[in-house]
Amino acid sequence: MPARLAHLTTIDSLTPQLAGELLEKADEFLELTRKPIVKLADLRGKTIINVFYEASTRTRTSFELAGKRLGADVVNIGGSATSSSKGETLRDTVKTLDAMHADAIVIRHPASGAPDYVAKHTRAAVINAGDGMHEHPTQALLDSLTIRRHRGKDFRGLTVAILGDVLHSRVARSNAKLLKMLGAHVRLAGPRTLLPRDAAALGCPLYERIEPALEGADVVMMLRIQRERLGSSLFPSLREYARVFGLNAARLALAKPNALVMHPGPLNRGVEISEDIADGSHSVILDQVEAGVAVRMAVLAFAAKP
Amino acid sequence: MPARLAHLTTIDSLTPQLAGELLEKADEFLELTRKPIVKLADLRGKTIINVFYEASTRTRTSFELAGKRLGADVVNIGGSATSSSKGETLRDTVKTLDAMHADAIVIRHPASGAPDYVAKHTRAAVINAGDGMHEHPTQALLDSLTIRRHRGKDFRGLTVAILGDVLHSRVARSNAKLLKMLGAHVRLAGPRTLLPRDAAALGCPLYERIEPALEGADVVMMLRIQRERLGSSLFPSLREYARVFGLNAARLALAKPNALVMHPGPLNRGVEISEDIADGSHSVILDQVEAGVAVRMAVLAFAAKP
Amino acid sequence: MPARLAHLTTIDSLTPQLAGELLEKADEFLELTRKPIVKLADLRGKTIINVFYEASTRTRTSFELAGKRLGADVVNIGGSATSSSKGETLRDTVKTLDAMHADAIVIRHPASGAPDYVAKHTRAAVINAGDGMHEHPTQALLDSLTIRRHRGKDFRGLTVAILGDVLHSRVARSNAKLLKMLGAHVRLAGPRTLLPRDAAALGCPLYERIEPALEGADVVMMLRIQRERLGSSLFPSLREYARVFGLNAARLALAKPNALVMHPGPLNRGVEISEDIADGSHSVILDQVEAGVAVRMAVLAFAAKP
């Protein structure tokens, strides 16, 4: 039996059926991770290599735990420790990991498309842990798992508003694709300078203010403002951003009364999301983190060759 | 059966009875770690996350080995890799690790009190691996285990001199508390500028020179001079410090003939301790390192929920 | 039964017989690592500590995988995280790791001879993962394993040309020793400024151009040019180096028609080796990487005390 998932570099490689099976498996794993003892053997004798060209605590730790809980050997390679600092090409690095018989390569890279390129040069399953402004497919899957656990398996009729710096967000891009595939309505909103020009390609309505996107929404996904964009010509101050585009109680009141509030983390409290909303009863932000480990377990298990 | 230890953020959370049980268990583990094969299953299926906001080879490695030898999955998060570099609050970082179902969080942090704060925001057992100028409880436990293995279980009648930069030392603070709890007499000595003002709270006699503290002592604990304090107004040169406050053969002769010499490491040879004493027959410095892994095994085992 | 290998700090500590047994065992391990599930128990309950004072993805990952696949607990200590940044001596660091009951210490260090010094201060087996300009014995073993798998067990009659910056190369030094021990003829060639003055000690003919060394060679080993030597008085530009000393199709035609082309990586494509040769049919560079994990498994298994 071949692996059910050759690679996961983009949501495009999923079908509605496969996405549903992944979420189903992740849901099972999530229940298992709540037990006092979590040690499975699905990936015993398998090797997972996390290659992070950008720093990340949350995602790297989530993948590392997912692999270890399935019994795999997990090795981390990161940032300045990579041979790229010695001038090695990405292709040579990947071929090296392949020759060491890696079963899965989890890669975060600042260049959009790097995981697809990597997948061409290895027999390992390649899992995209975030590439430039392109995609972050396991984030989308964990977000959908979180919604599903709160709202049920049928996404048809759900309206999801994704709000903030849509232009630079791989989280927004992967979520828009997956949510539409699962049947939800997706709205994108943010400052005009932070909206994508190829929005038509995503097939979602765009709003230059967040209020109309929030109206009647079932799910509100806030995007992280990357402070390194500050001072660029794209937007003014954090305070100004918070005032016009931040989620607060008044704005959230526009959504459905039981709307879910989500955020991929790490939070900029008081910027894209107010303190009271981040910690409030609508917030499922920590559920997202929990779902993250479970989704990564499912992805790694589906990608493992028997 | 609940865990015997909810958290270990300060020696204050121990009772003499619990401290005794911990040392007893650690003593058993120490014997086990001397065997050729060391692989237990006490923490199989448990997750330990080491979060080190300050660099440390010795303590992090000791905790990592302790966890792995008990069969746990151990994940390291360190320094610049932490999301705090992206502006995340400590509370959000901890809640994230909690949502990933960490069973124990081992934390080193430059801010005094950080582990207590962390313990309020997680279901995991929080183990303080050193917080600012506050406490380093596993260091105190390993020091007591070392003394106990050389001098027996009954600490009553033992005089322990803790010498050096007492003011900034979390090692001194935790040791003073634990040693007094176990029945030992504790003396503190160091340059006047490096003695705490709240010394009364520690309930130990203070000396501004080390000679009177050394007289008749059973145990001599030297504290590490942190070179980063050099050039501050607190003390002059390393040479001057060594001349007046360093432990050498002449000064050690003031202590009991069979006195133990201890140091938490890493050593500044020729500064707070002379070469010949560090490597001499009184030194139990490497016994402390060995005891460290065993004590951390015991602490992690006592903190694990069944 | 004692361990068959006390330490591996230099090729000098091997005999032809022991080298042969190591390669035989590595060959078995290599076949095992090609299976879908790789999890052995040879080092279960053993502790391996990787101490890398110089950055290295490839070698550290190779040793880490080797240890984990044999069931050992593996701990990494690296660069700025080492206590040496706090002024600790190498001897104290090693004695600390010894007191934690490390079974093997794998060390990379910029100082030639550091692993031999370390071996004097620990009960652990010390494996040299590269020390200054001295030796890199597991690289030589993996190179010999690669040759053996392509050319058979008998190295007598084989001519191996080692080309490039011989002077600074620990890879060249270890390979020259091992290949001669196994019966091969070894030629060394490179720019005059990058040839060792003690070449007589290595007992190999030296050439100041690579063409005569290539003539009729069975194996061509290219050495990596370390870019940090650029701008020194030792050689001019990368382009000049490539033009005169780089391996390309015209030069390779001087060797035997079925000659093997090797490189320890990471590659400087277009400098010491041309793109087409690096990826061409003669290249066994990725076989070397695969052999690396297997050789390190064999070395760790031979060094483990029962």
Side-chain angles (χ1 to χ4, degrees), chain B residues 176-235:
Chain B
K177 287 179 179 179
L178 179 61
L179 288 164
K180 283 170 55 79
M181 180 189 292
L182 296 173
H185 301 289
V186 178
R187 300 168 180 168
L188 304 173
R192 182 156 31 142
T193 51
L194 296 177
L195 289 176
R197 281 157 214 171
D198 67 334
L202 290 173
C204 305
L206 284 180
Y207 304 83
E208 294 183 10
R209 299 192 61 97
I210 68 171
E211 286 82 356
L214 279 164
E215 267 179 35
D218 297 278
V219 178
V220 181
M221 284 190 183
M222 300 312 297
L223 301 173
R224 173 180 166 75
I225 278 295
Q226 290 168 290
R227 287 159 186 262
E228 55 269 32
R229 307 218 186 280
L230 259 184
S232 77
S233 57
L234 296 178
F235 76 89

